[in-house]
Every structure is written in C-alpha cells, then in structure tokens.
Amino acid sequence: AVARRIANCVFHTCYMASENSSAATRARARGVAEEIGAYHLCIDIDEVSGAVVRSFTSVTGKVPQFLSMGKGDGESPGADERAQDLALQNVQARSRMVLAYFYAQLLPWHRQRGGFLLVLGSGNVDEALRGYLTKYDCSSADLNPIGAISKTDLKRMLLWAAGEYGYPTLREIVRAPPTAELRPTEGDGEHTQQDEVDMRMTYEELGVFGVLRKIHRCGPVSMMRRLVAQWGHLKATAVADKVKRFFRYYGINRHKSCVLTPSYHAEQYSPDDNRFDLRQFLYNWGWDWQFQKVDEIAAQASQEASQVDDGALLNGDGKRGRGAGDHLTRGGSAPKKARTW
C-alpha cells in the first residue's frame, strides 16, 4: 500500500488513444497502471493529429488516406498511396510526443504540486535496430528505461515482474501481439496491424541480428556465414533473404539512432549512436558488393545441401549420414535458439 501511494505521487501514465486504438490495449494500459498505483490518464489524440491533416488539406486541397481506404480489392498500392498511409501513421506518433511533454509540464500544476515531470520513452532496442520507429514520436523522451533491451529479453523481464511483484496484467501484455495501432482496425478485439508483419521479420530474428551486428561486429557477409550454420532449419536462400532485408532497413534507418533517447544500458547490443554504438550513421543501403557475396554463399550452401540429399537418396535408406552438408545444422544438432551461440 505504501509503494502504491508513492507511485501515485511520482509516476504518471497516460494512454494516448486514437480512433485506431483497440479496446484491448486500452484495458491493459489501465490495468497495469492500477496494479502499480500510478496516476493514470487516458486522452484522445485525434483532435491534435486531425488538425495537422486538416492544415495540409486546406493548403493543398488534397486529403491523404490510409491504404485500407484508398484502393479497391485486388489492387496493389503504389508509392503515392504508401506515402499517404505512412504520413497518417507518423502524425499520430509525433502528436503523442508533443502531448507527453505538454502534460509532463502541466500535470504537477493540475495536481497542485511544484516542479515538472521527466518523460519516459517506450521504444525497445529491436525497433531502434530495425528503424521501426518514427523520429520524434513516443520513443523520444528524457529517459528510456527499456531503450537498450531487446523484445525477447523485455518479455522475460515482464514475466518475472508479473510473478515477483504481483502485476498479472504484465502477462497479458506479453501474450498480446505487438502492434503500433496506427492504421484503422477491423473488429473489436486485438488490433489487426501487427508489428512483425509490417517489419517483415520477427522480434526473435531481430534479437539475433542485434547481437551479431553489435557484439560480434558482423556485416552482411560475416552474418550470412554465421546464420547459415546457426539457422540450419532454413534454406540458405531464405537466410540470405533475411540477412539482406535486415541490412537494407538497417542502412536506410541508421540515421534514426542519432536521436535515440538516452537509455539504461543493461546489455551490450544497443544501437544507441551517441553513447554506445559509434558506427557511422550513413550507409549505402544497396550493399551491392556485400549482397552479391551473400548470394554466392547461399548458392554454395544450397549446392552442398543438394549433394548431401542426393547421397542420402542413393543410399536408399532415407537417412543422411555425416557429410559435406553437416555444417548447415552444426553437426546435425537441432537449430539453435535465438541469441545462443
């Protein structure tokens, strides 16, 4: 009870909802705030973000639309449609940063207390590594307690805290599919926009990429060589596609790391440019030479695997012995889990 009273004095939470937010996420935000004892608010950001959109329309005469509202069934969106969709998502995200700082300055006055509040960020290290964030959105703050923690480690920490401190809503948060909730949704349950679908890679994969990139200093070629061995359950061409996709987005979005909020560094894999990862922030995201080498490694590995499979068929027993392709699964062992070497 004492801890909850202290939390109510110093810790303020604010769920900044839009018309695209789900009732499920709103309920989880309220639930965890109540369990902690935080002073909690729920505000609507549509009026703020809508004013920005209306300003654009008044100047240009054009009304931007989400992808789900602009194209008919079966039509592929073009660059113009994707630009509109992304701009409408970004204006919501940036509205949240402005409102967070505004409330941080005025809530002490509202509660008849002096001083001001520090704004805490909520972006994790995987989103920063992939660049799956908007510059100057709710990832921008005075301090980010989870900014240097991967999604995989963060989930483990939340499950531990749920049991250690008695916050059951944290388990619901871990089970919920990660979503930005910036596009119109369908139905009344979980939001239909999923982070891993948008990113075209999983958080587990990002955890592996982050360790290889930061701790092991891997570029596209050396990462491909490691992952062909580590991800023996995948075809080499599939591994190549994942490596190239990661480095393409890494190169495009690396500049975002220059404005990352200061984080508590509990691990070694943070891409924080100003304080932790001193690599350059401008890359030729085409990686022409590197991606050519990645394809060559994939072709060689596929050829070796094919030779091994042909040998197994010739044996007629359907079993593959130890041979040239065994390095693909680390000597026949089961695929390694993410972040183990």
Side-chain angles (χ1 to χ4, degrees):
V2 175
R4 286 173 53 83
R5 288 199 298 271
I6 294 174
N8 187 266
C9 292
V10 301
F11 190 42
H12 299 65
T13 57
C14 186
Y15 181 70
M16 291 181 267
S18 74
E19 60 183 353
N20 302 317
S21 301
S22 70
T25 304
R26 185 192 301 260
R28 285 191 289 268
R30 182 176 60 251
V32 73
E34 289 175 352
E35 290 164 7
I36 295 170
Y39 180 86
H40 184 68
L41 295 172
C42 182
I43 62 176
D44 192 328
I45 68 168
D46 289 328
E47 187 175 350
V48 177
S49 58
V52 177
V53 176
R54 288 191 295 273
S55 173
F56 176 84
T57 300
S58 68
V59 173
T60 65
K62 295 183 177 180
V63 181
Q65 293 183 317
F66 287 102
L67 284 177
S68 59
M69 302 169 64
K71 282 284 183 180
D73 293 338
E75 293 185 71
S76 299
D80 290 345
E81 287 78 15
R82 288 193 294 270
Q84 293 174 53
D85 183 85
L86 187 58
L88 289 173
Q89 293 185 69
N90 286 344
V91 72
Q92 296 173 71
R94 291 188 172 114
S95 297
R96 289 182 171 127
M97 185 204 73
V98 174
L99 287 168
Y101 274 97
F102 187 74
Y103 274 75
Q105 286 185 286
L106 293 183
L107 276 180
W109 166 67
H110 165 68
R111 302 188 69 190
Q112 298 182 341
R113 296 169 182 173
F116 57 91
L117 303 176
L118 289 176
V119 177
L120 302 181
S122 58
N124 61 66
V125 76
D126 293 332
E127 293 163 347
L129 185 72
R130 164 60 173 73
Y132 187 66
L133 57 91
T134 302
K135 260 187 171 179
Y136 309 113
D137 66 350
C138 52
S139 66
S140 297
D142 297 312
L143 178 67
N144 189 348
I146 63 171
I149 305 175
S150 73
K151 193 80 167 183
T152 303
D153 287 345
L154 182 60
K155 285 184 174 182
R156 287 199 289 261
M157 185 181 73
L158 292 180
L159 289 174
W160 171 83
E164 182 73 12
Y165 298 113
Y167 301 153
T169 304
L170 293 180
R171 293 193 182 92
E172 298 179 27
I173 293 173
V174 170
R175 290 194 297 265
T179 171
E181 297 196 343
L182 295 173
R183 291 195 185 106
T185 187
E186 300 174 3
D188 298 326
E190 298 290 353
H191 204 285
T192 53
Q193 180 184 9
Q194 305 296 320
D195 287 355
E196 294 182 332
V197 174
D198 282 353
M199 292 191 298
R200 299 176 63 198
M201 59 187 71
T202 67
Y203 280 109
E204 186 176 11
E205 291 168 348
L206 273 170
V208 175
F209 294 145
V211 170
L212 287 176
R213 179 60 177 159
K214 179 62 174 67
I215 298 177
H216 296 276
R217 301 178 176 87
C218 287
V221 178
S222 56
M223 185 177 293
M224 176 62 184
R225 287 181 176 137
R226 283 177 175 263
L227 289 180
V228 162
Q230 183 176 333
W231 288 349
H233 59 293
L234 295 176
K235 291 183 178 180
T237 51
V239 176
D241 288 342
K242 290 178 182 293
V243 170
K244 290 189 291 185
R245 183 179 300 123
F246 165 72
F247 272 100
R248 180 177 182 272
Y249 285 112
Y250 175 87
I252 290 172
N253 293 313
R254 173 66 181 163
H255 65 95
K256 295 180 180 179
S257 64
C258 297
V259 296
L260 288 179
T261 297
S263 302
Y264 166 68
H265 292 289
E267 292 291 348
Q268 303 178 62
Y269 46 65
S270 173
D272 184 339
D273 172 81
N274 294 317
R275 303 159 195 88
F276 206 74
D277 187 348
L278 301 181
R279 288 186 180 92
Q280 68 205 64
F281 63 89
L282 292 178
Y283 286 89
N284 175 7
W285 54 266
W287 306 89
D288 299 332
W289 182 88
Q290 292 92 336
F291 284 1
Q292 180 183 345
K293 293 298 180 183
V294 166
D295 290 335
E296 291 175 2
I297 295 170
Q300 180 182 0
S302 297
Q303 183 179 11
E304 292 174 354
S306 177
Q307 291 172 352
V308 171
D309 290 340
D310 290 343
L313 290 174
L314 290 174
N315 289 336
D317 58 4
K319 296 181 180 179
R320 192 180 86 179
R322 297 181 65 83
D326 284 343
H327 69 282
L328 294 177
T329 56
R330 291 199 172 186
S333 62
K336 299 288 185 180
K337 293 184 179 180
R339 302 175 52 76
T340 57
W341 313 105

